[in-house]
Each structure stands twice: as structure tokens, then as C-alpha cells.
Amino acid sequence: REPVAGQYIVVFNTDFVARPGEQSRKPDPVTLSAQLANDYGLQVEMAYTHALQGFVTKANEKQLARLLE
């Protein structure tokens, strides 16, 4: 499948998010995705919670650079 221009998969380090079913003070991937989207002016297209923890977003170069800082 061809990459979609301007669309990215953000994968969380498992040290920063709770795994499915885990009792933890760490945020779940959906909550952390929403927080980052709000902080960086992004929109969550889809959140991943099992095979990997993260989300899909569309971002311009400026938004992507800020997210990667």
C-alpha cells in the first residue's frame, strides 16, 4: 500500500502508556492520543491500543516538527 501524504503513525514508547488491562497511573493510548492532538493542534484519525500503542494523524511539516521535538 502506498503512503498517504501528510499522514503519520505516532507510536508511543510503552514506558509512557498503560497496556490493555494494566492497572497503572500511566494514561491509556486513547487518552494520551487525545492530549497530544489537543496540545499540537492535530486530529486523531485512529488510535491503536493493542498490537502497538499510538495513533494516526494528518499533520503539516510545522506540526510534525513540533511533535518530534
Side-chain angles (χ1 to χ4, degrees), residues 7-67:
Q7 187 167 318
Y8 302 92
I9 298 174
V10 177
V11 179
F12 299 131
N13 180 320
T14 56
D15 293 339
F16 297 105
V17 292
R19 293 185 177 102
E22 177 184 35
Q23 295 291 331
S24 175
R25 289 181 174 225
K26 297 181 280 189
D28 65 86
V30 174
T31 299
L32 186 54
S33 298
Q35 288 173 345
L36 288 173
N38 185 58
D39 291 349
Y40 291 95
L42 303 171
Q43 181 175 347
V44 175
E45 301 288 326
M46 179 185 309
Y48 297 109
T49 59
H50 292 285
L52 57 88
Q53 288 79 36
F55 65 101
V56 176
T57 189
K58 292 182 180 173
N60 60 40
E61 289 182 24
K62 185 176 179 180
Q63 291 169 314
L64 183 61
R66 283 188 59 219
L67 185 62

